[in-house]
Amino acid sequence: MSEGISVRDLNIYYGDFLAVENVNVDIAPRSITALIGPSGCGKSTFLRSLNRMHEVIPGAHVKGSVIIDGENIYGPGVDPVQVRSRVGMVFQRPNPFPTMSIADNVLAGLKLNNRRLPKSQAEEIVETSLRGANLWNEVKDRLDRPGSSLSGGQQQRLCIARAIAVKPEVLLMDEPCSALDPISTLAIEDLMQELQEDYTIVIVTHNMQQAARVSQKTGFFNIEGTGKPGRLIEFDDTEVIFSNPAKQETEDYVSGRFG
């Protein structure tokens, strides 16, 4: 069962540099939340803090808490690898493992967690995950072909299938359509709306029309200037953010006056 996310007093650092300052936000379960804002304002950094991905950068750390399913993922003794199996991530550029087959790409996350699967179970997971990513009918006759043989839009859906194969509760997407053409983008957007029935989805996007189309809630991040930390300026229903935001900064950004 997918749970919501509760972020409290979150400060994200790269070494001594405070990159994102004091975020407090509640993200509802089984919903799509979009994060928008100009480049360099900390939205991708914030997204990566939700599954401890930013820690792969040396010196990166956080203060504060991120509560998922009643547990602070930054609590003492919490294993980041375990967190990442509960909170999946889909990146900006499709990144299937090029030497692996389509089927092995889907199973990659499970194999990383050293799960030995009987053949019948592996086949079932491959089919279920590819169906979940709306890709099964396109690839079912060539599962042993390399993942890199697919088109860009198909590769991104393959990465989504790989992320959902481990049955996460939350799916993070960092500009998942920015490298894709309009038709593939719409396919991914349709897919997100189907997936939200089972997952809590948080997406970073530079495409404001996309945020308006797919999300129920939107958070606007901004930065005062170079070397200053990014901050969550406003968080509300998507309709409110785009039609009647509370803050002038948000109004300026969504109406195209800067960014």
Side-chain angles (χ1 to χ4, degrees), residues 78-107:
V78 175
D79 177 5
V81 177
Q82 206 60 45
V83 170
R84 289 172 206 144
S85 69
R86 288 169 51 202
V87 184
M89 184 95 170
V90 176
F91 296 94
Q92 189 166 359
R93 296 206 166 266
N95 58 349
F97 299 112
T99 57
M100 279 188 194
S101 70
I102 292 168
D104 284 339
N105 259 288
V106 175
L107 298 169

Side-chain angles (χ1 to χ4, degrees), residues 157-207:
R157 280 181 285 149
L158 177 60
C159 293
I160 292 170
R162 182 174 71 196
I164 62 181
V166 297
K167 294 201 159 55
E169 297 157 42
V170 178
L171 211 46
L172 309 177
M173 298 185 167
D174 193 358
E175 294 191 54
C177 303
S178 65
L180 304 180
D181 62 86
I183 290 169
S184 300
T185 295
L186 285 174
I188 300 281
E189 289 180 7
D190 288 344
L191 174 57
M192 279 186 230
Q193 289 176 312
E194 286 170 34
L195 290 172
Q196 81 171 69
E197 291 172 21
D198 299 305
Y199 304 96
T200 302
I201 298 175
V202 186
I203 170 177
V204 164
T205 179
H206 272 293
N207 180 334

Side-chain angles (χ1 to χ4, degrees), residues 9-153:
D9 305 324
L10 190 70
N11 290 282
I12 309 173
Y13 294 86
Y14 291 107
D16 296 333
F17 174 66
L18 178 59
V20 178
E21 184 174 40
N22 203 31
V23 178
N24 287 279
V25 69
D26 289 307
I27 293 169
R30 287 178 299 286
S31 67
I32 300 176
T33 298
L35 305 176
I36 61 169
S39 294
C41 66
K43 42 190 198 303
S44 289
T45 295
F46 172 70
L47 189 77
R48 289 198 296 267
S49 75
L50 299 179
N51 74 346
R52 299 185 59 166
M53 263 314 278
H54 77 296
E55 287 179 18
V56 298
I57 297 170
H61 61 284
V62 311
K63 292 177 178 165
S65 60
V66 175
I67 314 279
I68 299 176
D69 197 11
E71 178 184 44
N72 179 10
I73 64 170
Y74 288 99
V78 175
D79 177 5
V81 177
Q82 206 60 45
V83 170
R84 289 172 206 144
S85 69
R86 288 169 51 202
V87 184
M89 184 95 170
V90 176
F91 296 94
Q92 189 166 359
R93 296 206 166 266
N95 58 349
F97 299 112
T99 57
M100 279 188 194
S101 70
I102 292 168
D104 284 339
N105 259 288
V106 175
L107 298 169
L110 294 164
K111 288 182 174 167
L112 280 176
N113 296 334
N114 291 328
R115 281 184 51 191
R116 291 242 163 112
L117 300 168
K119 188 164 184 277
S120 61
Q121 192 188 353
E123 286 171 355
E124 191 184 323
I125 290 170
V126 167
E127 179 171 347
T128 307
S129 305
L130 288 169
R131 280 189 188 282
N134 283 348
L135 191 57
W136 174 250
N137 289 336
E138 293 164 54
V139 302
K140 63 184 182 206
D141 300 325
R142 46 179 173 149
L143 295 173
D144 52 354
R145 296 278 305 278
S148 53
S149 67
L150 299 174
S151 71

Side-chain angles (χ1 to χ4, degrees), residues 214-253:
V214 303
S215 69
Q216 288 84 48
K217 297 272 187 187
T218 295
F220 168 59
F221 278 81
N222 201 7
I223 188 165
E224 278 175 24
T226 312
K228 295 274 204 287
R231 305 208 333 275
L232 178 60
I233 304 298
E234 188 168 354
F235 184 84
D236 210 328
D237 292 344
T238 296
E239 210 174 308
V240 172
I241 292 287
F242 284 102
S243 61
N244 190 19
K247 303 275 176 71
Q248 186 62 46
E249 279 176 79
T250 313
E251 164 81 21
D252 289 348
Y253 183 74

